[in-house]
Amino acid sequence: ESLNVIGQTWMRDTTLDANLLSQIGGVIDLRQHRFGIVAQETGYYIDVKAQMSAVSSIHGDTAARDAYFRTTGHLASAMEHGVLEQMQANSPAVSTVKLLQLNNAAGNKAFLVTSANYAAIKPQLANYSTQDLNDFQTSVTSGNTLILPENGTIPLQVWSGKGYIDFNMGGTSRHVGMIIAGGYNGGYAGNLGNISVSSLDNILKLNLRPDAITPKTSSLDPVDMATGFWMYGNTDLTLSGGAGGLSLKRSYNSGNNNMNDSLGYGWSHNYRLYVEPHSSTPFGLGQRQPVDAAALIVATVAT
C-alpha cells in the first residue's frame, strides 16, 4: 500500500502540472492511458514506461504544442525523484533530470546528439558501455535526438549509472523518453534498502504526541492519570489593556523530558511559535494561491 500511495501521488502531481501548463500554453492534452510501476527490489523505484496522449493546440500553434509536450516530460521526470524524496525522509533519489543536474554540477558537458553529430561526440563520452554506445547510434539513426551527459556513470549515494533523454518531435508519433540505468523510465532511490513505511505514514497523518491525543484526567498531584506524566502550569505575567491584554504562561510536561526548549527540558510557554519548511507539489503548482506557481512557470518557460 505504501508503494501504491507513492505512485498515486506522482500521478496526482503530474496531472496537476499538466493541467496548469496546458492552460498556460493553450493546448488540450487528451490522456489515452498511463501505466507504470512502483516497486521494491534492491531499492525502491518508480518506473512509468507507457504513457499515451494526444496533444493539440487550441490556436493551431504547433510550436506551443511541442513546447508543452517537451516541458511536461522534463517536469514529470523531476517529479519522479521528487516524489521519492518527499515521501521518504532524508533519502535522495535519482531521475533523468536529477542526473543531468548532477552532471552539470560536476562541471561536465551535456550534448545534444543527432545522427549528424554523433560520430564527433562519441569520443567525448565517458563511462558508457559498448552496448550503450551502440544503442545511441541506433536511436539517432532512427531519427531521434538524445541529450547525453558526458559521464555515463553518475553517482548519488550508493546508486551509480547513466541518465539521458531520448526524444523525437517529428511526425505524428512524438515521444520523450527519460531513461536511467537499469532500463528504467523513472526514479530510483539513491540508497539501497526497503521503503520506510513509517516515514510515509508520518506524512499521511497528523503525527501528534501521545499526550496530545490521549484524554487527560488529572489528579491533585498533578499527574495525568491516563499517561502518568507529571504536569505543571503557571501564569507568570499578565498585562491588561489593549486587545485582551498579554500574558506569559509556562507549562511543564514530564512526557517531553527529552525536548530541550528555551526554558529547559520538558518546559514550554504560550509564545513557543515556529515554522518548518516542507515541500508541497500542489502548493508549488498554485493550488493554494496563484503566486506559489511563479517559480514553476519561470522554470517551464526556461525549459
Side-chain angles (χ1 to χ4, degrees), residues 235-247:
T235 300
D236 294 330
L237 178 65
T238 299
L239 298 176
S240 60
L246 297 173
S247 64

Side-chain angles (χ1 to χ4, degrees), residues 177-191:
M178 299 288 180
I179 301 166
I180 63 174
Y184 299 109
N185 293 61
Y188 209 101
N191 288 316

Side-chain angles (χ1 to χ4, degrees), residues 228-277:
F229 296 155
W230 188 80
M231 301 181 299
Y232 172 80
N234 188 64
T235 300
D236 294 330
L237 178 65
T238 299
L239 298 176
S240 60
L246 297 173
S247 64
L248 175 63
K249 300 178 180 180
R250 285 182 302 131
S251 62
Y252 177 81
N253 188 321
S254 64
N256 298 330
N257 64 339
N258 62 338
M259 298 175 60
N260 187 13
D261 205 351
S262 55
L263 298 179
Y265 287 95
W267 288 92
S268 188
H269 55 84
N270 58 323
Y271 290 103
R272 183 178 181 270
L273 304 175
Y274 61 93
V275 295
E276 291 182 340

Side-chain angles (χ1 to χ4, degrees), residues 15 17 26 43 65 85 100 115 158 189 196 224 246-247 270 288:
T15 298
D17 172 55
R65 177 202 64 193
E85 293 181 347
L100 285 167
S115 58
V158 301
S196 171
D224 186 333
L246 297 173
S247 64
N270 58 323
R288 181 179 63 170

Side-chain angles (χ1 to χ4, degrees), residues 93-297:
V94 299
S95 68
T96 299
V97 166
K98 181 69 167 285
L99 292 171
L100 285 167
Q101 177 192 12
L102 294 174
N103 179 77
N104 292 343
N108 294 324
K109 299 176 182 178
F111 299 101
L112 184 67
V113 183
T114 66
S115 58
N117 64 7
Y118 180 64
I121 291 174
K122 182 178 177 181
Q124 303 178 61
L125 301 176
N127 300 319
Y128 288 99
S129 69
T130 301
Q131 185 60 55
D132 289 335
L133 298 176
N134 291 338
D135 290 343
F136 299 156
Q137 180 67 72
T138 300
S139 182
V140 296
T141 300
S142 300
N144 299 330
T145 300
L146 306 176
I147 298 179
L148 292 177
E150 178 183 348
N151 183 13
T153 306
I154 302 172
L156 179 65
Q157 305 287 33
V158 301
W159 191 96
S160 181
K162 63 180 181 289
Y164 66 95
I165 303 174
D166 182 320
F167 68 97
N168 191 326
M169 303 303 298
T172 58
S173 297
R174 297 179 297 275
H175 77 265
V176 176
M178 299 288 180
I179 301 166
I180 63 174
Y184 299 109
N185 293 61
Y188 209 101
N191 288 316
L192 302 183
N194 294 332
I195 190 171
S196 171
V197 176
S198 60
S199 177
L200 184 62
D201 188 47
N202 289 336
I203 296 173
L204 300 178
K205 72 178 182 181
L206 291 175
N207 188 23
L208 301 178
R209 298 193 308 268
D211 60 300
I213 59 177
T214 304
K216 296 180 176 62
T217 304
S218 300
S219 68
L220 296 177
D221 286 337
V223 173
D224 186 333
M225 302 299 290
T227 63
F229 296 155
W230 188 80
M231 301 181 299
Y232 172 80
N234 188 64
T235 300
D236 294 330
L237 178 65
T238 299
L239 298 176
S240 60
L246 297 173
S247 64
L248 175 63
K249 300 178 180 180
R250 285 182 302 131
S251 62
Y252 177 81
N253 188 321
S254 64
N256 298 330
N257 64 339
N258 62 338
M259 298 175 60
N260 187 13
D261 205 351
S262 55
L263 298 179
Y265 287 95
W267 288 92
S268 188
H269 55 84
N270 58 323
Y271 290 103
R272 183 178 181 270
L273 304 175
Y274 61 93
V275 295
E276 291 182 340
H278 292 279
S279 61
S280 170
T281 301
F283 280 10
L285 292 169
Q287 294 295 296
R288 181 179 63 170
Q289 54 186 358
V291 69
D292 291 338
L296 179 133
I297 293 172

